[in-house]
Amino acid sequence: MPFKQQLFVPNKREYITGLSRPSVDCIICSIISDEPSVKNLTIWKNETVAACVNLYPYNAGHLLLFPLRHIDDPRQLSHEEHKQMHQLLSASMDRLESVYHPLGFNIGFNIGEASGASIEHLHQHVVPRYHRELGFVDITAGAKIIIEDPQVTLNKLKDAFADLKF
Ligand SMILES: [Zn+2]
């Protein structure tokens, strides 16, 4: 798409450059251990894997799925972690479909600095895609705007995940 800037998220630049990034070794590990300095948007977790709302969403319902173990490459996933990441992906897609009714998804890992990854801890992005995503600002300013506050997403999805067990 011909956006001059695919993503405009206020404060994200400061976050990437470290100006406002919480001073913890790993944001995801801090979310897992419920560090008070890190905003915790966890929707669901078990002993092996977890899902949280992305604090800087590309779209409403943008989730991050990750193993609790700190690894930085999907090839390091154990068989069990791999299986559970897949179960969590399926469960997340089902729930996003029933809550948000997207027309599609972008799903994937960003690995390494050159991929645009800003968190080292392995995480899978699940980004729901919608019909008519472009708004007036998108077209006139060449930038995308945040569609929904991540806290609102969290509240909507927590209920939808309440019955999930594995
Ligand atoms: Zn970590």
Side-chain angles (χ1 to χ4, degrees), residues 77-95:
L77 286 168
S78 68
H79 181 71
E80 185 58 28
E81 286 166 337
H82 186 266
K83 191 183 92 185
Q84 294 202 26
M85 282 289 284
H86 186 74
Q87 278 178 282
L88 187 55
L89 174 62
S90 301
S92 300
M93 291 172 73
D94 287 347
R95 283 155 181 81

Side-chain angles (χ1 to χ4, degrees), residues 2-161:
F3 293 125
K4 277 179 248 144
Q5 195 183 353
Q6 270 286 6
L7 174 67
F8 174 72
V9 180
N11 304 324
K12 177 86 186 194
R13 185 179 302 279
E14 284 184 19
Y15 176 80
I16 291 168
T17 57
L19 292 175
S20 72
R21 192 169 180 145
S23 57
V24 293
D25 286 342
C26 171
I27 300 284
I28 289 182
C29 285
S30 304
I31 289 171
I32 293 163
S33 63
D34 208 9
E35 199 82 34
S37 63
V38 174
K39 190 160 176 59
N40 193 337
L41 295 170
T42 304
I43 293 172
W44 186 90
K45 85 174 179 183
N46 69 5
E47 299 292 298
T48 311
V49 293
C52 76
V53 175
N54 192 346
L55 185 54
Y56 303 99
Y58 299 156
N59 248 343
H62 180 170
L63 303 186
L64 303 180
L65 315 182
F66 45 86
L68 304 194
R69 190 165 66 98
H70 183 104
I71 54 175
D72 60 12
D73 189 308
R75 290 168 289 191
Q76 295 163 351
L77 286 168
S78 68
H79 181 71
E80 185 58 28
E81 286 166 337
H82 186 266
K83 191 183 92 185
Q84 294 202 26
M85 282 289 284
H86 186 74
Q87 278 178 282
L88 187 55
L89 174 62
S90 301
S92 300
M93 291 172 73
D94 287 347
R95 283 155 181 81
L96 285 167
E97 270 178 358
S98 58
V99 175
Y100 287 96
H101 312 288
L103 293 179
F105 293 96
N106 289 114
I107 293 165
F109 296 102
N110 296 329
I111 309 295
E113 238 175 85
S115 71
S118 56
I119 303 173
E120 199 186 85
H121 192 128
L122 182 71
H123 56 284
Q124 186 172 34
H125 291 265
V126 183
V127 184
R129 301 303 303 262
Y130 305 97
H131 194 44
R132 297 203 192 96
E133 284 180 7
L134 297 184
F136 180 73
V137 174
D138 304 321
I139 292 157
T140 55
K144 291 191 73 174
I145 56 166
I146 295 180
I147 292 149
E148 180 175 84
D149 185 304
Q151 190 64 49
V152 174
T153 310
L154 177 69
N155 296 340
K156 281 188 191 169
L157 288 174
K158 258 199 157 165
D159 286 350
F161 276 76

